[in-house]
């Protein structure tokens, strides 16, 4: 069956040269973006209940832009002035670059990993005398605490925001040829909103092993999968599939 419409379960990219725009132009398909999950911050009272005192930390581990936003939000709510001596360990260059929204980059001690948490752990290992705070959501990849424990550093997790299922009720009678998922939470949101969902001719595209696992758990048929050696990005996987499907 030919592909004409795609729903991506994420916010629309804000960059002008998004690969999705190129996909729309090249394959003449309609792509809509809709977050199936969203993030809500927890308040300062809830953070205090976790026995978090921001004065106790000399370094912050930042794994995402959300972690950056919510750390500084909570610091402001708690009237905590982040000291200039604070060290920031950022998982990727994108996170480090985003940190400039809150701090003067050249005046701070900022350490940057290449891409994965394993990459960052190599740097963290060199600073065993620091006391680390890990701002996170209520859903944290198990590998992160495992790695930090293996490093034998002093660290504390602070749940500063939560992943919440979005209301998708307005999509009940809207059908797409392909649904694209990037996390297990996105698939959980689909079934939370539509418990009676039947895949039928809808193609399912998934990114990452944990998303594949959740799709299988829910009995979905996976038609498009990324990353693979041949298609390392979702847009490349979509283009390959659409080219073949629409050729028939």
């Amino acid at each position: 069956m030919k592909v004409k419409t795609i729903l991506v379960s994420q916010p629309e990219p804000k960059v002008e040269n998004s690969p999705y725009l190129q996909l729309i132009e090249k394959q003449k398909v309609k792509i809509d973006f809709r977050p199936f999950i969203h993030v809500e911050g927890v308040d300062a009272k809830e953070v205090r209940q976790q026995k978090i005192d921001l004065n106790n930390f000399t370094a912050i581990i930042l794994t995402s832009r959300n972690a950056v936003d919510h750390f500084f939000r909570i610091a402001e709510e708690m009237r905590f002035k982040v000291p200039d001596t604070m060290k920031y360990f950022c998982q990727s260059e994108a996170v480090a670059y985003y940190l400039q929204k809150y701090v003067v980059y050249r005046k701070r001690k900022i350490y940057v990993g290449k891409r994965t948490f394993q990459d960052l752990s190599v740097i963290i290992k060199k600073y065993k005398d620091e006391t680390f705070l890990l701002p996170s959501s209520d859903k944290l990849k198990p590998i992160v605490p495992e790695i930090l424990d293996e490093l034998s550093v002093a660290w504390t997790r602070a749940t500063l925001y939560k992943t919440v299922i979005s209301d998708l009720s307005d999509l009940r009678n809207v059908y797409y040829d392909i649904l694209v998922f990037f996390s297990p939470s996105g698939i959980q949101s689909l079934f939370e909103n539509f418990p009676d969902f039947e895949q039928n001719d809808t193609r399912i595209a998934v990114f990452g092993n944990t998303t594949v696992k959740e799709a299988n758990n829910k009995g979905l048929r996976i038609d498009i999968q990324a990353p693979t050696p041949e298609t390392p990005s979702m847009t490349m996987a979509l283009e390959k599939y659409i080219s073949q499907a629409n050729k028939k």
Side-chain angles (χ1 to χ4, degrees), residues 43-54:
D43 60 24
K45 181 182 176 184
E46 195 171 332
V47 175
R48 289 191 186 96
Q49 287 172 349
Q50 298 175 46
K51 296 184 170 56
I52 301 294
D53 182 350
L54 298 181

Side-chain angles (χ1 to χ4, degrees), residues 73-162:
R73 174 186 62 80
I74 282 294
E76 188 176 342
E77 281 185 30
M78 290 182 154
R79 297 195 174 103
F80 172 73
K81 188 179 185 304
V82 183
D84 294 348
T85 54
M86 184 70 80
K87 294 182 175 71
Y88 301 93
F89 292 78
C90 302
Q91 183 166 317
S92 66
E93 283 188 8
V95 175
Y97 182 76
Y98 189 72
L99 188 57
Q100 293 183 81
K101 182 178 174 183
Y102 297 96
V103 301
V104 181
Y105 204 86
R106 57 189 169 78
K107 292 185 178 179
R108 298 293 183 269
K109 293 177 179 177
I110 298 168
Y111 309 90
V112 187
K114 291 178 182 176
R115 191 175 63 86
T116 68
F117 196 77
Q118 286 95 327
D119 298 332
L120 182 61
S121 70
V122 176
I123 303 170
I124 294 172
K125 191 176 182 179
K126 298 175 184 176
Y127 294 86
K128 289 199 170 183
D129 293 336
E130 304 297 335
T131 308
F132 294 91
L133 179 71
L134 175 72
S136 79
S137 78
D138 55 329
K139 292 178 178 169
L140 181 64
K141 291 179 181 176
I143 194 168
V144 174
E146 286 171 12
I147 288 174
L148 289 172
D149 287 341
E150 285 172 8
L151 294 177
S152 298
V153 294
W155 73 280
T156 302
R157 176 186 177 184
T159 302
L160 303 187
Y161 53 103
K162 294 180 178 179

Side-chain angles (χ1 to χ4, degrees), residues 207-219:
F207 190 92
N209 293 332
T210 56
T211 316
V212 169
K213 186 178 178 183
E214 186 63 26
N216 287 328
N217 288 344
K218 289 287 193 281

Side-chain angles (χ1 to χ4, degrees), residues 180-227:
V180 183
F181 296 97
F182 290 87
S183 71
S185 300
I187 292 173
Q188 289 159 15
S189 174
L190 173 70
F191 284 93
E192 186 84 18
N193 277 280
F194 311 111
D196 54 350
F197 175 79
E198 292 182 11
Q199 184 172 354
N200 298 323
D201 293 327
T202 304
R203 269 62 57 90
I204 299 291
V206 295
F207 190 92
N209 293 332
T210 56
T211 316
V212 169
K213 186 178 178 183
E214 186 63 26
N216 287 328
N217 288 344
K218 289 287 193 281
L220 294 174
R221 181 191 69 252
I222 298 172
D223 301 283
I224 304 157
Q225 189 173 333

